Amino acid sequence: MFLQLTTILLHLALCSATKDVVHFSVNSAQGDRTPVKEDNSAAEMATVTVNLQQAVNRIGSHFVGVTIDSQQIRYNWNSFGFGSTKVQNMARALSPSYFRLGGSAADYMTFDPTNQKGHKGENLQGGQVYCSNFTTQFYMSVDQWDILNKFLQAVGWDFIMDLNALQRNADGSWNPANARQLLQYSASKNYKIAAFELGNEYNLYPSSLAVTPAQLAVDYVTLQNLLGEFPQDYYSSFLVGPETAMGGEEKYFLGFLQAGGYKTIRASSFHSYYFSAQEKYLPHFTNVSIMNYLGGKIELAMTQTRQVDPLLPVWLSETSTAYGCGTANMSDRFVAGFLWLDKLGLSAAMGIQSVIRQTFYGFNYGILDLDLNPNPDFWLTVLYKRIVRGPVFNATSDRSDVRAYVACANPDNFKAGSLAFYFLNPNDYSVTFDLPQFDAQTMLIYALTAGDSGGLLSKFSALNGMKLEMSGDNLPDLKPLSAPKGPVSMAPYSFGFVVLPEARVSICLNQ
Ligand SMILES: *[C@@H]1O[C@H](CO)[C@@H](O)[C@H](O)[C@H]1NC(C)=O
Ligand SMILES: *[C@@H]1O[C@H](CO)[C@@H](O)[C@H](O)[C@H]1NC(C)=O
Ligand SMILES: *[C@@H]1O[C@H](CO)[C@@H](O)[C@H](O)[C@H]1NC(C)=O
Ligand SMILES: *[C@@H]1O[C@H](CO)[C@@H](O)[C@H](O)[C@H]1NC(C)=O
């Protein structure tokens, strides 16, 4: 592989009290495969401008959430380890967080309050990936529900439950009888459920099952009324919808909102994946055109939501790299981090309030593997939550090969006023950047690279060169490299965070 060193210089305008505009200057991307001449680097510079005077979004502690697919219950939770201390510690490392139980199988699942112990017939051995059989009916027993709720209580996650929307009356309206049984039982156990959704990706239902957007809006009112029957327990739980995805979702999404759906929900929601798991094409995972594809989806969801309600939050409520259970040996490897980190950056910059990752466990895109060890995206998710929180700034670049995002650093873990940059270098050459304006300041660097010789397809990632693995049941320290000043080199195919604890950015100080 030919490695070419290019240089990013961050030229920052002087930080006066009134003007904190940050300019990043970057060498030409076109230097990629030809040596950069010392004397023309200035001419080849591109500029990334970050406006620190105005936040474009504000992300909270629940910005990043995770799912488990309802399909796992069909297989009696497969190999998932609710009782494992290691798994609980990994889950706690993401707390606070939303947790969504949902997916296609949600619309085929019925709660059976008379069955205390297990529909174990469809148990799979060895945690296989079984990406089929989503659309036949199955039951959830009481113990299968209990074990999940106890786990969520133990790890401090806030539960979002996706209810079966295909239980319908003869007139086509939603029949809430089974949902009522589930709530009665859950209330008797004091199970907290933060939010509910009704069904999954209705716009993809086969026409024999079609639920129109207008009908769904009515069904959401029925669900809201059902929650009203539980004034002690679920009256203040909120609704999220319409959970549409991929193809034709625009019409359905807007149709639901316009039919009055927006009055019942606390966030409008859509799903997004970049490509099909069948494509199995590694270059997709580092392709900036594919990263940008998500921007169009977000724009549409934001615009349509703003049309009916200027203040309603918008959620990307189920998302991963490849639909159809993830690409085997890619969606769970180091390379998946490019699309994941870029998705978080783009979503934060475009105004999304919550991004919920499919999945915490299960299929080929889990952030845990089927043996309950962390995949590279687990570490990336933990780091993101620890490092990035609060006001988000607009960073624009005229150089397309390097991605840069800027936000306040999480005040729980960093000094007030700290700034967090995150960068992606999805190229086969290294990139060096410099922060001359913060020259005299310490930089905390978290650089992520492949964790072993597997490269992009590594099952591991390394933080500042240290391979990341659980240490028994516990997470290792995720320590930054403290660099006094000077250029930072980003290895080929790497991404990472840089925190400036002394930046004293006013918006970050006053958040
Ligand atoms: C698919 O679902 C049906 C009905 O629940 C079940 O009988 C069957 O064993 C499942 N097949 C597989 C391959 O899991
Ligand atoms: C990146 O994706 C775009 C859009 O799908 C495609 O046209 C282009 O060929 C891809 N590049 C590579 C290297 O695969
Ligand atoms: C994934 O990689 C493993 C070895 O790491 C191999 O056994 C398996 O066949 C691969 N799966 C696919 C679908 O390529
Ligand atoms: C970000 O900055 C660019 C360039 O100045 C501008 O075109 C864009 O509208 C800005 N976006 C937001 C959300 O402010």
Side-chain angles (χ1 to χ4, degrees), residues 160-219:
I160 301 172
M161 176 62 189
D162 184 13
L163 296 165
N164 184 336
L166 288 186
Q167 295 186 332
R168 302 225 148 241
N169 299 311
D171 67 358
S173 60
W174 181 57
N175 181 338
N178 191 246
R180 182 177 290 114
Q181 287 181 310
L182 182 70
L183 294 186
Q184 279 165 345
Y185 176 75
S186 303
S188 78
K189 295 291 213 178
N190 283 317
Y191 292 154
K192 303 235 173 311
I193 304 173
F196 293 89
E197 302 167 346
L198 197 46
N200 183 74
E201 303 182 1
Y202 326 91
N203 57 307
L204 301 183
Y205 280 172
S207 52
S208 59
L209 302 175
V211 177
T212 63
Q215 178 61 53
L216 188 69
V218 171
D219 299 336

Side-chain angles (χ1 to χ4, degrees), residues 203-483:
N203 57 307
L204 301 183
Y205 280 172
S207 52
S208 59
L209 302 175
V211 177
T212 63
Q215 178 61 53
L216 188 69
V218 171
D219 299 336
Y220 263 70
V221 174
T222 305
L223 174 55
Q224 197 173 45
N225 292 338
L226 174 66
L227 298 184
E229 295 174 22
F230 299 87
Q232 302 295 319
D233 297 278
Y234 305 115
Y235 183 73
S236 60
S237 301
F238 61 94
L239 306 186
V240 176
E243 297 293 306
T244 52
M246 308 302 285
E249 75 273 34
E250 305 87 32
K251 252 174 84 190
Y252 203 106
F253 186 86
L254 184 60
F256 170 82
L257 295 174
Q258 285 180 333
Y262 77 95
K263 292 184 214 155
T264 56
I265 53 178
R266 186 149 337 145
S268 67
S269 61
F270 69 106
H271 300 177
S272 187
Y273 293 80
Y274 296 100
F275 40 77
S276 161
Q278 297 313 312
E279 292 185 45
K280 299 187 176 126
Y281 187 59
L282 183 61
H284 278 346
F285 287 80
T286 50
N287 185 330
V288 294
S289 308
I290 287 182
M291 293 175 189
N292 286 331
Y293 158 87
L294 176 63
K297 295 277 171 191
I298 295 174
E299 174 81 47
L300 202 60
M302 295 296 296
T303 308
Q304 294 193 339
T305 301
R306 295 292 161 261
Q307 247 174 279
V308 294
D309 185 338
L311 297 176
L312 190 65
V314 181
W315 287 14
L316 180 47
S317 56
E318 185 203 293
T319 187
S320 208
T321 47
Y323 60 86
C325 304
T327 311
N329 295 343
M330 291 186 197
S331 291
D332 56 349
R333 301 305 172 90
F334 173 72
V335 73
F338 290 96
L339 291 175
W340 181 221
L341 184 57
D342 194 73
K343 176 177 290 170
L344 294 175
L346 202 55
S347 298
M350 293 185 73
I352 296 290
Q353 291 295 298
S354 202
V355 178
I356 304 186
R357 163 68 183 248
Q358 176 88 349
T359 62
F360 181 64
Y361 159 86
F363 306 119
N364 292 311
Y365 40 38
I367 63 173
L368 267 51
D369 71 15
L370 298 176
D371 297 323
L372 306 174
N373 292 311
N375 282 325
D377 278 358
F378 169 76
W379 303 111
L380 179 55
T381 309
V382 171
L383 284 170
Y384 193 92
K385 290 186 86 108
R386 288 190 185 173
I387 297 171
V388 186
R389 204 184 81 199
V392 176
F393 302 105
N394 185 14
T396 50
S397 172
D398 56 0
R399 174 165 164 165
S400 63
D401 61 336
V402 178
R403 315 279 285 186
Y405 298 98
V406 182
C408 296
N410 184 342
D412 284 351
N413 300 318
F414 300 94
K415 205 183 291 182
S418 300
L419 196 61
F421 295 78
Y422 45 115
F423 297 93
L424 289 92
N425 179 18
N427 305 295
D428 63 359
Y429 44 87
S430 51
V431 171
T432 300
F433 63 87
D434 204 354
L435 300 159
Q437 185 159 351
F438 299 105
D439 226 1
Q441 300 186 7
T442 305
M443 291 182 287
L444 304 175
I445 299 168
Y446 302 79
L448 290 155
T449 51
D452 65 17
S453 60
L456 289 176
L457 294 178
S458 177
K459 267 191 69 62
F460 299 94
S461 54
L463 173 62
N464 297 324
M466 185 193 77
K467 183 178 176 183
L468 291 171
E469 289 180 283
M470 290 296 280
S471 152
D473 288 340
N474 300 307
L475 276 74
D477 278 349
L478 299 173
K479 281 205 206 91
L481 201 67
S482 190

Side-chain angles (χ1 to χ4, degrees), residues 74-75 122 133 136-138:
R74 179 194 299 277
Y75 296 105
E122 297 175 44
N133 216 20
T136 50
Q137 304 292 334
F138 68 104

